Amino acid sequence: MRMIPAAAYIYARPKNLDTDMRTVHNLSALTHAHPRTWIACGIYANIAWEIFDGKNLHDAITDGLSRAREFYKTITKFSVELPKYDSLFDKNFAALPENKIVSRVYIVDNLKAALWCLLNTDNYRDSVLKAVNLGGDADTVGAVAGGLAGAAYGIEQIPAEWLDVLRKKDYLYKIAADFSSAII
């Protein structure tokens, strides 16, 4: 749920997938040091990089999933964990009914839930609302979906009434602007 700034930072550097993925894994390991978690973070970062390249959200998800899968299937410590994500790679994943989507405190389920919400909506507001309304680990799924939705749709699509109630809004905007300036 904290990977979007890391993905932006990594994206701004010269591209090297091995180095970029190692950076993703090292950042994940600060709180979640398990290959299964690293895969989720790697998938998320790859999707974000596709969005940053200008792809629409659905193509970014497809292409990011594909690149991450190719990377992970060749490394034993990841390839043994990759089957946990098989349903994400199924071409019919987006068509799953909502009652088959699980939102709980488990990274695999949360990533699947967030991506399912993104694939079944077409704007920031609806994707985030769908994510949090799944219940369960709503804050995490909402943050995961919201990070990618924000990258895909832009700040302009975040409802003004959501932004207006942020505490220290000006400070947060300054931090975001400073971060953006530092990596561009």
Side-chain angles (χ1 to χ4, degrees):
M1 69 191 274
R2 297 173 296 279
M3 194 52 57
I4 201 72
Y9 168 77
I10 294 165
Y11 181 81
R13 302 181 329 180
K15 306 297 176 267
N16 178 302
L17 187 58
D18 288 334
T19 301
D20 295 345
M21 295 298 271
R22 190 170 36 256
T23 302
V24 166
H25 300 156
N26 288 339
L27 291 168
S28 171
L30 293 171
T31 56
H32 297 81
H34 189 278
R36 191 174 306 156
T37 302
W38 297 344
I39 292 171
C41 292
I43 289 171
Y44 187 87
N46 274 278
I47 293 168
W49 298 333
E50 295 291 338
I51 293 169
F52 300 155
D53 275 345
K55 291 186 179 171
N56 72 57
L57 185 57
H58 290 244
D59 290 343
I61 291 172
T62 300
D63 294 347
L65 281 168
S66 178
R67 183 171 56 225
R69 184 181 201 187
E70 289 304 308
F71 177 84
Y72 288 122
K73 75 181 187 180
T74 63
I75 303 167
T76 303
K77 73 179 174 185
F78 296 119
S79 66
V80 298
E81 296 291 340
L82 203 53
K84 302 286 186 192
Y85 294 90
D86 277 352
S87 65
L88 271 179
F89 303 115
D90 186 310
K91 64 181 176 165
N92 297 314
F93 173 73
L96 287 172
E98 186 171 325
N99 67 355
K100 298 290 184 190
I101 303 303
V102 179
S103 171
R104 62 183 175 122
V105 184
Y106 177 53
I107 194 160
V108 177
D109 290 339
N110 285 345
L111 179 64
K112 289 177 182 180
L115 294 180
W116 182 86
C117 290
L118 292 165
L119 289 167
N120 283 284
T121 55
D122 62 3
N123 62 74
Y124 181 89
R125 180 185 184 281
D126 291 346
S127 62
V128 172
L129 285 176
K130 185 174 277 296
V132 299
N133 286 331
L134 288 173
D137 195 10
D139 60 327
T140 301
V141 177
V144 172
L148 291 174
Y153 300 120
I155 195 169
E156 304 80 24
Q157 272 213 15
I158 300 174
E161 61 271 18
W162 294 4
L163 295 173
D164 290 343
V165 296
L166 288 173
R167 290 185 182 168
K168 298 185 180 184
K169 181 172 98 173
D170 293 337
Y171 175 69
L172 295 172
Y173 274 85
K174 181 181 180 335
I175 289 172
D178 290 348
F179 177 73
S180 179
S181 295
I183 63 171
I184 294 178

